Amino acid sequence: MGEQPVGTGEKRVTWAELYFDLVFVFAVTQVSQLLHHHHDLAGTGEALIAFVPVYWCWVGTTVQANIRDVDTPRGRLGIFTVGLAGLFMALALPGAYGSRGLLFGAAYWAARLVLLALVAGIRGVWRGPYGVGALVSGPLLVAGGLLEGGPRVALWALAACCDLAAPLVFRGRLAKVRYDPAHLPERFGLFLLVALGESIVGIGGPVAQSRLHAAQLVSVALAFVISCALWWLYFGYAADAMRFALEVSESRRDLIRWVFSYGHLALIAGVVAVAVGFGETVAEPGAALGAGALGLLYGGCALYLLSFSYTRKMMFGVISPTRLAAAVLLLAVLPLLVRLPALAALGVLAVALVGLNGWEYLRVRRAAAGEPVRSAA
């Protein structure tokens, strides 16, 4: 599977790609609303099944833009066409498991067919992830949209598994593709920013029309500190490491698959869960959180932190002990907070994440100075 060179110099994100991302700002909001209305175990699973095609559509477009020159009329029209299909998917999400299932499936299939056409010049491309999306997972989503209840969920789950498995099954074919190491870290970082933007909506949306008493203002401030801490953990420490790892990697294909395609799915899912948790928390800071809302808030943060240990292991062969310990701590204290006011839950989480960022800042400074870092007592 040969590919044309992507050009000389560092590949940059195009304006068309940034405009394309605006569709997925809306799509992430719709996924959040789906999870907001049904955040029990079954609802969380259904939201994840619906999110995977949305995310995979974005990934397919981003990888296509990485290996091809898309800053052309044809490339821009292709990206915008996929964006239109993504917009239809987003519109279908509130009723994806109801009357809009067929619209969701058909829009995804259309997006995958367009993406396959955009990379049609690559020899044997249909025997890879783009072919799987157009010939397998797309039809499965359409077929699921024609059914109801359990059969729809089952077919859509199978489609999601097919999409996720395709890079593994066809990893030998993907090894022949030339990837630009500067473009992909920037693109995936931008999608994470989209998810973090949803956390801001989750903070401000529930209280924007209320009387804004003092406890609500404190809860908004604490939630914003948590969102900032999540930003810092990625963009303060991990983003540059991911780009460096991709630049020096002997197998960019494997790193893209494990760290970006899969790792960022977990990172973004964690942030979306936290955003929905904010929506359940800041409006009534004096009320005790239920297990579902607390699970989204603390479980989402734990997933986010665990994802860093996974990505670090994939990049450098070691885990992130501080983030792993913080994730375990959050899960351990979760049952103790069920009966406490929401404000207390936000405060504990804010202190934990700020403390984690402070500890990692000291580790980085001491490592740069060549000083040994002693274990925390």
Side-chain angles (χ1 to χ4, degrees):
M1 176 177 167
E3 179 51 282
Q4 311 224 352
V6 292
T8 58
E10 186 176 275
K11 188 178 182 71
R12 304 297 300 176
V13 175
T14 66
W15 293 112
E17 291 173 89
L18 294 175
Y19 181 72
F20 170 79
D21 285 351
L22 297 179
V23 171
F24 289 84
V25 172
F26 178 50
V28 169
T29 297
Q30 295 293 81
V31 172
S32 297
Q33 288 300 312
L34 191 66
L35 185 57
H36 173 76
H37 293 300
H38 304 282
H39 52 254
D40 56 6
L41 191 59
T44 301
E46 289 182 355
L48 180 60
I49 290 170
F51 178 60
V52 168
V54 172
Y55 174 75
W56 219 243
C57 183
W58 182 91
V59 170
T61 308
T62 294
V63 172
Q64 184 267 149
N66 182 266
I67 63 178
R68 308 301 293 266
D69 179 13
V70 298
D71 206 14
T72 63
R74 178 182 182 274
R76 293 167 186 161
L77 287 173
I79 287 176
F80 293 160
T81 304
V82 177
L84 177 59
L87 183 58
F88 284 147
M89 291 176 69
L91 289 171
L93 275 168
Y97 292 98
S99 61
R100 298 183 183 179
L102 182 57
L103 175 61
F104 184 79
Y108 178 74
W109 194 11
R112 299 305 302 193
L113 289 171
V114 172
L115 285 171
L116 182 61
L118 289 174
V119 295
I122 303 175
R123 180 166 54 87
V125 69
W126 63 273
R127 297 193 303 274
Y130 285 93
V132 170
L135 305 176
V136 180
S137 58
L140 283 173
L141 279 171
V142 171
L146 294 170
L147 303 174
E148 295 181 358
R152 176 179 297 180
V153 175
L155 281 182
W156 283 7
L158 177 60
C161 290
C162 289
D163 274 339
L164 293 172
L168 287 172
V169 175
F170 297 100
R171 58 186 179 275
R173 185 166 298 280
L174 295 175
K176 302 175 183 178
V177 178
R178 179 187 173 192
Y179 300 97
D180 189 283
H183 176 262
L184 284 175
E186 187 176 3
R187 291 296 292 132
F188 280 87
L190 285 169
F191 201 159
L192 187 65
L193 274 179
V194 168
L196 286 168
E198 182 61 25
S199 75
I200 303 300
V201 175
I203 294 169
V207 298
Q209 303 300 323
S210 68
R211 297 176 64 87
L212 287 178
H213 53 77
Q216 284 182 333
L217 292 176
V218 174
S219 71
V220 166
L222 288 173
F224 185 67
V225 168
I226 293 167
S227 180
C228 289
L230 296 178
W231 178 93
W232 209 296
L233 286 166
Y234 184 93
F235 292 99
Y237 305 110
D240 288 341
M242 290 178 179
R243 174 167 175 169
F244 170 77
L246 191 59
E247 288 175 345
V248 302
S249 175
E250 296 180 357
S251 177
R252 288 178 181 172
R253 166 207 66 184
D254 291 334
L255 207 61
I256 289 168
R257 179 174 66 247
W258 293 117
V259 173
F260 292 96
S261 296
Y262 297 154
H264 280 70
L265 174 60
L267 286 166
I268 293 165
V271 173
V272 170
V274 172
V276 178
F278 284 156
E280 299 283 332
T281 305
V282 295
E284 298 183 14
L289 288 176
L294 196 62
L296 288 172
L297 198 59
Y298 275 69
C301 282
L303 175 61
Y304 188 74
L305 296 175
L306 290 171
S307 300
F308 284 114
S309 286
Y310 160 78
T311 55
R312 185 175 175 83
K313 178 69 173 177
M314 293 297 104
M315 291 189 294
F316 306 117
V318 294
I319 64 171
S320 175
T322 53
R323 300 188 184 200
L324 178 61
V328 172
L329 175 64
L330 292 181
L331 294 176
V333 301
L334 192 155
L336 306 177
L337 300 171
V338 174
R339 296 185 179 180
L340 293 183
L343 194 60
L346 286 173
V348 170
L349 186 55
V351 168
L353 292 178
V354 170
L356 174 60
N357 271 292
W359 176 244
E360 294 206 341
Y361 173 73
L362 292 176
R363 286 174 58 88
V364 171
R365 282 196 63 184
R366 291 176 180 177
E371 299 177 7
V373 181
R374 289 189 293 271
S375 302

